[in-house]
Amino acid sequence: NAGVTQTPKFQVLKTGQSMTLQCAQDMNHNSMYWYRQDPGMGLRLIYYSASEGTTDKGEVPNGYNVSRLNKREFSLRLESAAPSQTSVYFCASSEGQGAYEQYFGPGTRLTVT
Amino acid sequence: GESVGLHLPTLSVQEGDNSIINCAYSNSASDYFIWYKQESGKGPQFIIDIRSNMDKRQGQRVTVLLNKTVKHLSLQIAATQPGDSAVYFCAERGSGAGSYQLTFGKGTKLSVIP
């Protein structure tokens, strides 16, 4: 039982490049989330998926898109990376709609030059 | 307490002493609160949670206190150990619409002095 896994662990992009961050969970959770964490800041919600087939914007969605590929997988796409998107990205999942505790992955450290 | 700007507040505690980490939350309608621990280079890890109909909850070596009157949350760690060194975040969950979302504080860095 690996919990929440994320790939890649590290990535360096040039401004304007695109990439997809992958996330998978093996806990049969319904809800999944993408956060970003900047130095000295708490986590800020980018997008979430309350259940398979649905996605909604969080606090900071601009510049990102998401896909809930199936119940296990939730990907985050940067279409045209900008230096302001340099951050650590965390994926999380929780048991169900309105469920409380979120389980986090190990994070992806992204640098955009 | 919570940070301002880029610098996290730091709490330094002697090994074996008790630690108290404070958090002020923003939404009086929040119905659920949670504390996470984040070690360097890792994702946040659940410590303990509390619902708004409670004012105290205890776990193993940890206690969370909730004061809804002043919108204040605290995490108490008993007999602090070097392995407790980490950044601690509180988070609140609003009730009703948007209730899938946790709003996180900026964190407090706990340093344990051996």
Side-chain angles (χ1 to χ4, degrees):
Chain A
N1 187 335
V4 180
T5 58
Q6 293 181 236
T7 56
K9 285 188 172 16
F10 302 93
Q11 184 72 48
V12 179
L13 291 178
K14 289 184 170 27
T15 297
Q17 287 185 317
S18 62
M19 81 159 295
T20 300
L21 281 63
Q22 306 286 354
C23 173
Q25 51 89 10
D26 62 3
M27 296 175 281
N28 201 35
H29 285 172
N30 286 307
S31 301
M32 298 184 73
Y33 313 82
W34 276 106
Y35 292 90
R36 60 177 288 172
Q37 184 177 41
D38 300 300
M41 303 283 286
L43 293 113
R44 292 184 292 169
L45 184 66
I46 304 171
Y47 270 93
Y48 67 98
S49 171
S51 61
E52 189 179 354
T54 69
T55 60
D56 285 286
K57 295 179 181 179
E59 182 186 349
V60 288
N62 291 344
Y64 305 95
N65 284 302
V66 290
S67 294
R68 184 73 183 267
L69 304 168
N70 47 55
K71 190 171 184 180
R72 289 187 65 247
E73 298 172 288
F74 188 38
S75 63
L76 178 73
R77 182 157 179 86
L78 286 71
E79 290 291 351
S80 178
S84 62
Q85 294 178 305
T86 293
S87 191
V88 181
Y89 291 85
F90 289 100
C91 178
S93 69
S94 65
E95 227 173 80
Q97 295 186 23
Y100 302 141
E101 182 183 343
Q102 294 180 14
Y103 295 80
F104 285 82
T108 294
R109 186 173 295 274
L110 176 68
T111 302
V112 184
T113 61
Chain B
E2 297 303 305
S3 68
V4 175
L6 297 179
H7 301 288
L8 287 175
T10 298
L11 176 66
S12 295
V13 175
Q14 203 73 36
E15 182 179 356
D17 287 351
N18 296 335
S19 304
I20 300 176
I21 300 170
N22 296 304
C23 175
Y25 64 92
S26 57
N27 185 356
S28 57
S30 292
D31 66 351
Y32 173 76
F33 304 88
I34 191 167
W35 280 99
Y36 281 94
K37 171 187 179 182
Q38 187 177 24
E39 296 173 273
S40 181
K42 296 185 179 180
Q45 180 183 9
F46 170 85
I47 303 173
I48 191 167
D49 58 2
I50 188 167
R51 295 175 194 255
S52 60
N53 61 353
M54 304 170 70
D55 52 22
K56 180 179 179 178
R57 188 159 190 233
Q58 289 185 288
Q60 188 178 11
R61 280 202 309 120
V62 293
T63 300
V64 56
L65 299 177
L66 174 63
N67 185 330
K68 293 182 288 294
T69 303
V70 294
K71 294 191 287 186
H72 184 267
L73 200 62
S74 69
L75 176 70
Q76 300 178 2
I77 305 173
T80 312
Q81 302 168 0
D84 295 326
S85 293
V87 176
Y88 290 81
F89 294 96
C90 65
E92 60 183 298
R93 193 191 84 133
S95 57
S99 61
Y100 305 117
Q101 299 189 31
L102 290 176
T103 301
F104 286 80
K106 294 181 174 63
T108 297
K109 183 176 180 179
L110 175 65
S111 293
V112 181
I113 305 163

